Amino acid sequence: PGHVAFDGLVPEQGVATLRRALSIPAAWSGEMVFARFDGVYGRAELFVNGALAGVHAAGATSFDIDITRYLSSGENVLTMVITEYTPHSVLDYMSWYAHTSLLGIWREAFLFRVSQVHLGPTDLTADWNVQTQAGTLSFATDIVNADGRAAFYALEAMVFDGEQLLHKTTLSGSVGANG
């Protein structure tokens, strides 16, 4: 990852195209594959084997794109087209403030896999009351089933203080096909 200009490249009219060839391990067959970008400055368009897999236009925030259906066995090509000057960049004013091009993949970029039934976006909220010296911890998540069949799940959440188990919750249920 890096800033395009800092890597000695000159983006044409504020647009850079970056490519990477890769092979997906055979062990990943039957699972979902996501591309995670922890920070891309500019409008990021991700193409997998020539097909548009996803777009992210929120500047330096992290995002995931499900690339499963675009992958083929053997070698695959990921292409990222990054556009610096967009309506979003006018709002955040980052490039103008820095007085230099910020276009590029700033932070880590990697692929990861999950099973067809997996946790979706997860929210964890902690609140602490200084006066009572007590707090709450709230956890919410979605169970995603990308499989064509209903599935059973069991979810166990534990809270530790060092080695001491403070709380344990177990939830189970079923989730519909493609739900």
Side-chain angles (χ1 to χ4, degrees):
H3 294 81
V4 173
F6 295 168
D7 289 337
L9 305 172
V10 179
E12 285 192 33
Q13 299 179 355
V15 177
T17 302
L18 309 166
R19 284 186 184 82
R20 167 87 32 114
L22 55 93
S23 294
I24 302 299
W28 290 22
S29 178
E31 296 189 311
M32 298 181 71
V33 179
F34 288 83
R36 156 122 356 123
F37 296 89
D38 285 340
V40 177
Y41 185 75
R43 176 187 165 91
E45 299 173 68
L46 181 64
F47 294 83
V48 179
N49 297 322
L52 180 62
V55 176
H56 181 76
T61 58
S62 64
F63 60 98
D64 299 335
I65 297 176
D66 179 1
I67 63 172
T68 309
R69 67 184 177 132
Y70 304 102
L71 295 172
S72 59
S73 60
E75 188 169 283
N76 293 272
V77 177
L78 274 61
T79 304
M80 174 73 74
V81 177
I82 311 170
T83 305
E84 183 165 21
Y85 301 109
T86 67
H88 295 92
S89 69
V90 172
L91 292 174
D92 70 26
Y93 206 64
M94 289 171 67
S95 283
W96 286 276
Y97 179 76
H99 300 291
T100 188
S101 174
L102 297 177
L103 187 69
I105 300 174
W106 289 7
R107 298 184 192 105
E108 295 299 314
F110 56 92
L111 301 182
F112 68 95
R113 65 184 169 145
V114 296
S115 66
Q116 296 288 322
V117 178
H118 60 275
L119 295 180
T122 301
D123 292 320
L124 187 65
T125 305
D127 190 23
W128 182 255
N129 185 319
V130 176
Q131 294 171 335
T132 64
Q133 295 292 297
T136 59
L137 184 63
S138 301
F139 174 82
T141 191
D142 294 324
I143 306 295
V144 176
N145 181 5
D147 197 351
R149 301 167 295 192
F152 176 81
Y153 68 87
L155 176 64
E156 187 173 81
M158 294 178 280
V159 178
F160 287 89
D161 181 0
E163 297 291 320
Q164 182 183 359
L165 176 65
L166 299 178
H167 181 79
K168 178 178 173 181
T169 299
T170 303
L171 302 169
S172 60
S174 61
V175 61
N178 300 314

